[in-house]
Amino acid sequence: MAAYKPVVVQACPKLGEKITQDTLYWRGYKTPVQIKEFGAVNKIDFSPVPPYNYAVTASSRIHIYGRYSQEPIKTFSRFRDAAYCATYRDDGRLLAAGSEDGSICLFDVSGKAPLRQFEGHTKPVHLVGFLSDKYRIFSGGDDYSSKLWDIPSATEMISYSEHTDYVRCGCASKVNADVFITGSYDHTVKVFDARTKSSVMTIEHGHPVESVLLFPSGGLLVSAGGRYVKVWDVLKGGQLLVSLKNHHKTVTCLCLNSSGQRLLSGSLDRHVKIYSTTSYKVVHSFNYATSILSLALSPEDETIVVGMTNGVLNVKHRKPVEKNENSQKKIQPAYRTYVKGRSYMPKQEDFCVSKPVKRVLRKYDKLLRSFQSSKALDAVLEPPIMLHTPEVTVAVMQELHRRGTLRSALAGRDEKQVNLLLTFVARRVIEPRFTSVLVIVADMITDIYQPVVGQSAIVDKQFLKLQQAIGKEIDYQEELLEVLGMMDTLFATFTKKRDTCLEENKSNGVTEIIETNRNY
C-alpha cells in the first residue's frame, strides 16, 4: 500500500511590512513589566529631574515608583476617597493631587503628610497642575469651575465658572507663567490668563474633551476627545490645523516625547498611536490588552508607562545600547566552514546511510488518511484555523472534492454547523485565491440544504449574506470588464496612430532619397 501524502496547502506570498526608522526605534523597548494597582490608573506623571521617578494615581493612593522598580518606593494614602491627577512640580520636589471630596492636597516628595490642603471645590477635582512660576496651582472640578491657588498662603486667588460641564483636563504654559488651559465635557477648551477675570480664548473641539497638551513653544495646542485628536494654532486665535481620526474609540490621553517631534495618544480601543509632528501621520502603533486611561513618557524617552482600566500598569524600558569599542570582535568561522560537504557527491564504493525522517501529520491529515471526511472538515472549521489560516480549510475542501466525498462531508449537519460553513464561504468566496473552490462548495451547500430554507432564521440570514457577497462581486467584475474594454479601445487607438505616423515617416524618407538622387 502506498504511503499517505499530506494535503498540500497553497502557499501565497505575504506582503512585507514596511520597516522605517520609527519602527526600529519604537521596537527598541524590552518586554513590558506588568504591575497591578488597586484600581483604574487615572494619571501617570514623571518627575522632571533625575532619577525620573514616576507617580501613579489609582484608587485612593498615589504610588511613587523608581524607573526600574516593580514595587512602590513611596506611597501617599492620606485620602478619604479616590485620588486624581497627581502632578509633579517642575523641580520635582512637590506633588499636587485632587480628590473625590473636592479638596486638593500638596505633598513634599520627601515627606508623607500633606504640606497644604486647599478647600474650595464642591465636587470631585480631576485637574491639578502647577503654573511655571512654581508658586501657584490651578485646578478644575466637576462643579464646572476652574480655580487658581497661592501655595505660600494656601488661599484661593481667582475662580472661573465659564465651563458648563465637568472640567477634566488641563495644562500650563511653560512660556508664560500666567497662562493655563482647561478642557471640559462641554466640548470646549478655554485659555485663561491669571491677570484677567475671564478666559482669553475659547476653542470648540466638538466632543467631550478628555486631554489637552501644549507644545513647549506655546504656539500649538493639542486636544483629544471622542475619536479625534485636533491640533490648534494658538497664535492665530485658535485656528484648526489638523484633525486626526486614527482611533476607533474615545482618546483618553496625550503625551509628547522629549524632542517634541512625536505625539503619542492613548485610547479605549487598546492602542497607542505615535504621530510625527511634522506630517501628523501615524509612524508606529502599540497594542495593549485592555482600554488605556493614562500614558506617560520619561524625559529621556527611556521608559513608556501605560495605565489601563483593569488597574494594570504596563512599563516598557528601552534596551541599553552596548558600546564596547575596546573589546575585540569575536572571530567568526569562515563561510566555507558552514557549506563544507554540501556539494559532495557520493562515489560508487561509498555506503550511504539515510536518516529516517519522522513525518508528523496534522489532525485533518490523520482523519483523511482514515477516510473520515466529515470529521476532517470539522477539524478545519475550528475558529482559529478559519480566521488565521483559511488556506488550510480551503485545501481540505479541495482534497475532499478531488476524492469525490465533499458532498457527503457537507451533508447531515445541524443549524450551528451550517451557519459556520456559510459564514466562512460568504466571507472568503470573494478572495481570488479561494474563489474557484468555494464556488463549488457554495453550489453544493445550496443544493443540499435548499429543502430546509425557511425553517431557520439564522441559516436564511447567512444565505442572504452569501447572495449579497456574490452579487457585489459580480457587479465589481462587470465594472472591471467595462473599464478593461475602455482601456483596450484607448490602447488600440494609440497603436493605430503610432502605425500611421511610422508609415508617414517612411514615405517621407523614401521621397527625400528619390529627390536627392535626381539632383545628382
Side-chain angles (χ1 to χ4, degrees):
M1 183 177 177
Y4 172 78
K5 293 182 180 180
V7 174
V8 179
V9 179
Q10 180 185 3
C12 298
K14 294 183 179 179
L15 294 175
E17 183 182 1
K18 187 178 180 181
I19 303 297
T20 62
Q21 290 297 324
D22 279 287
T23 305
L24 297 174
Y25 178 83
W26 294 105
R27 280 184 178 176
Y29 286 89
K30 298 179 183 177
T31 305
V33 176
Q34 306 280 353
I35 302 172
K36 180 64 178 173
E37 286 290 338
F38 292 96
V41 181
N42 61 75
K43 180 64 186 284
I44 303 166
D45 192 51
F46 271 92
S47 172
V49 296
Y52 304 122
N53 297 333
Y54 57 93
V56 177
T57 311
S59 185
S60 60
R61 301 183 183 185
I62 302 172
H63 286 157
I64 308 295
Y65 289 90
R67 185 188 291 186
Y68 298 105
S69 65
Q70 297 186 24
E71 296 292 334
I73 58 177
K74 196 174 191 61
T75 301
F76 297 103
S77 57
R78 303 293 181 92
F79 294 94
R80 289 184 291 239
D81 210 329
Y84 301 110
C85 194
T87 308
Y88 277 101
R89 196 167 72 170
D90 287 345
D91 57 5
R93 297 175 63 184
L94 294 182
L95 190 72
S99 64
E100 184 72 22
D101 58 8
S103 63
I104 301 167
C105 295
L106 182 68
F107 297 94
D108 186 346
V109 174
S110 59
K112 284 190 175 181
L115 292 177
R116 296 279 191 277
Q117 192 159 349
F118 305 92
E119 302 286 348
H121 286 283
T122 58
K123 289 188 178 180
V125 179
H126 285 264
L127 165 64
V128 178
F130 292 90
L131 293 183
S132 56
D133 62 3
K134 303 178 184 177
Y135 299 109
R136 289 177 290 178
I137 291 176
F138 66 94
S139 62
D142 288 355
D143 55 2
Y144 309 165
S145 67
S146 305
K147 298 179 183 292
L148 198 63
W149 310 84
D150 181 58
I151 294 177
S153 61
T155 57
E156 179 183 319
M157 298 179 67
I158 191 170
S159 178
Y160 302 96
S161 300
E162 298 189 19
H163 285 293
T164 58
D165 208 332
Y166 298 158
V167 182
R168 288 296 176 92
C169 57
C171 60
S173 171
K174 296 184 181 297
V175 179
N176 192 324
D178 294 308
V179 174
F180 66 96
I181 299 165
T182 60
S184 169
Y185 279 6
D186 62 4
H187 301 192
T188 63
V189 177
K190 291 186 180 290
V191 181
F192 294 97
D193 191 322
R195 296 165 292 188
T196 62
K197 294 184 179 180
S198 62
S199 62
V200 295
M201 187 185 298
T202 299
I203 297 172
E204 182 68 34
H205 179 81
H207 296 83
V209 183
E210 299 284 351
S211 182
V212 293
L213 183 67
L214 194 63
F215 274 65
S217 63
L220 296 179
L221 172 69
V222 187
S223 61
R227 295 169 56 191
Y228 295 88
V229 176
K230 298 185 179 182
V231 183
W232 312 85
D233 191 335
V234 179
L235 302 179
K236 290 186 178 180
Q239 178 183 346
L240 178 64
L241 294 181
V242 64
S243 178
L244 307 172
K245 189 182 177 182
N246 297 98
H247 287 282
H248 303 295
K249 292 185 179 179
T250 301
V251 183
T252 55
C253 48
L254 297 170
C255 178
L256 273 176
N257 72 336
S258 58
S259 64
Q261 295 180 355
R262 295 292 180 267
L263 173 67
L264 287 75
S265 64
S267 168
L268 296 179
D269 63 3
R270 304 182 296 107
H271 287 84
V272 171
K273 304 284 185 182
I274 303 169
Y275 308 88
S276 167
T277 53
T278 53
S279 63
Y280 292 105
K281 292 183 179 179
V282 177
V283 295
H284 195 67
S285 178
F286 289 114
N287 189 14
Y288 289 88
T290 55
S291 300
I292 298 168
L293 285 182
S294 52
L295 166 71
L297 194 60
S298 65
E300 294 181 348
D301 299 342
E302 294 294 324
T303 308
I304 298 177
V305 186
V306 171
M308 291 174 275
T309 53
N310 61 353
V312 172
L313 201 64
N314 186 291
V315 186
K316 290 182 180 180
H317 299 288
R318 176 162 288 283
K319 298 175 183 177
V321 180
E322 298 180 359
K323 295 182 179 180
N324 297 327
E325 297 178 356
N326 298 328
S327 61
Q328 294 181 356
K329 188 177 180 180
K330 186 178 179 181
I331 300 174
Q332 298 289 340
Y335 176 71
R336 60 177 178 272
T337 305
Y338 296 107
V339 299
K340 185 177 181 181
R342 288 190 179 181
S343 58
Y344 178 78
M345 297 297 294
K347 298 177 182 178
Q348 188 174 2
E349 61 272 12
D350 290 342
F351 179 76
C352 297
V353 179
S354 60
K355 185 179 179 181
V357 179
K358 185 178 180 181
R359 179 176 293 174
V360 180
L361 295 178
R362 303 277 184 180
K363 182 180 178 181
Y364 56 84
D365 276 319
K366 293 178 181 178
L367 293 169
L368 286 173
R369 186 176 61 179
S370 57
F371 304 102
Q372 300 182 49
S373 304
S374 184
K375 290 184 178 180
L377 186 57
D378 291 338
V380 293
L381 286 176
E382 294 177 357
I385 297 177
M386 285 199 308
L387 293 174
H388 303 295
T389 55
E391 60 272 8
V392 174
T393 306
V394 176
V396 171
M397 289 178 175
Q398 189 174 11
E399 175 65 19
L400 291 174
H401 179 60
R402 187 188 67 81
R403 293 184 178 192
T405 57
L406 179 59
R407 180 176 288 272
S408 61
L410 293 171
R413 295 182 174 272
D414 57 16
E415 180 185 18
K416 185 177 178 181
Q417 293 174 330
V418 174
N419 179 37
L420 196 65
L421 264 172
L422 287 172
T423 302
F424 176 77
V425 174
R427 181 180 297 176
R428 301 291 181 178
V429 71
I430 59 175
E431 295 188 27
R433 55 179 177 160
F434 302 145
T435 301
S436 59
V437 178
L438 293 185
V439 164
I440 298 171
V441 175
D443 192 20
M444 288 186 180
I445 293 174
T446 306
D447 288 343
I448 295 170
Y449 296 100
Q450 186 177 3
V452 299
V453 171
Q455 298 180 12
S456 170
I458 298 174
V459 175
D460 292 347
K461 186 177 178 181
Q462 293 300 329
F463 271 118
L464 288 174
K465 285 185 178 180
L466 177 61
Q467 182 184 9
Q468 291 172 2
I470 295 176
K472 286 182 180 179
E473 186 64 21
I474 291 172
D475 293 339
Y476 291 150
Q477 295 290 342
E478 289 178 352
E479 291 178 6
L480 286 174
L481 287 173
E482 290 178 3
V483 174
L484 284 173
M486 296 176 188
M487 293 175 68
D488 288 341
T489 305
L490 292 173
F491 291 150
T493 306
F494 292 150
T495 306
K496 288 180 180 178
K497 287 183 178 180
R498 186 179 177 185
D499 293 341
T500 306
C501 292
L502 288 173
E503 289 177 1
E504 289 179 357
N505 291 334
K506 288 179 180 179
S507 62
N508 293 336
V510 172
T511 305
E512 289 175 0
I513 292 170
I514 294 171
E515 290 178 354
T516 306
N517 292 334
R518 285 179 180 175
N519 293 332
Y520 281 108

